[in-house]
Amino acid sequence: MTVRDDTSDEAQAISAARTLIAQYGEDAQVIAMMRVSELGFAGDMDGYAHWEMVLAAVEVLSEEGGPRILDS
């Protein structure tokens, strides 16, 4: 039985989102969407789920007030 540490998954997604934003700026959301799409079409459901979290984090971090929400 595999135990999943959701906190770790979330922390990794937030870190990846911050890296995407630092690297791609305003295009980070598009990059994350493309990755979600690629993994979905490839049938990689674990990767798809991770990148869905990354995409959500990019969206929150890109909104006004977003960084304060995810800094806790």
Side-chain angles (χ1 to χ4, degrees):
M1 173 182 189
T2 303
V3 176
R4 205 171 144 182
D5 184 357
D6 290 334
T7 304
S8 178
D9 290 346
E10 290 174 12
Q12 289 176 1
I14 292 167
S15 177
R18 287 187 171 132
T19 300
L20 279 178
I21 292 168
Q23 191 170 16
Y24 296 105
E26 293 177 6
D27 292 331
Q29 189 172 358
V30 173
I31 300 297
M33 282 184 200
M34 288 177 11
R35 193 69 180 133
V36 167
S37 180
E38 290 169 358
L39 292 166
F41 283 122
D44 181 350
M45 293 298 103
D46 289 337
Y48 176 86
H50 172 75
W51 278 91
E52 276 282 305
M53 285 194 293
V54 172
L55 176 57
V58 167
E59 290 170 348
V60 171
L61 288 168
S62 297
E63 292 175 1
E64 186 174 356
R68 289 187 303 250
I69 294 169
L70 294 180
D71 282 341
S72 53

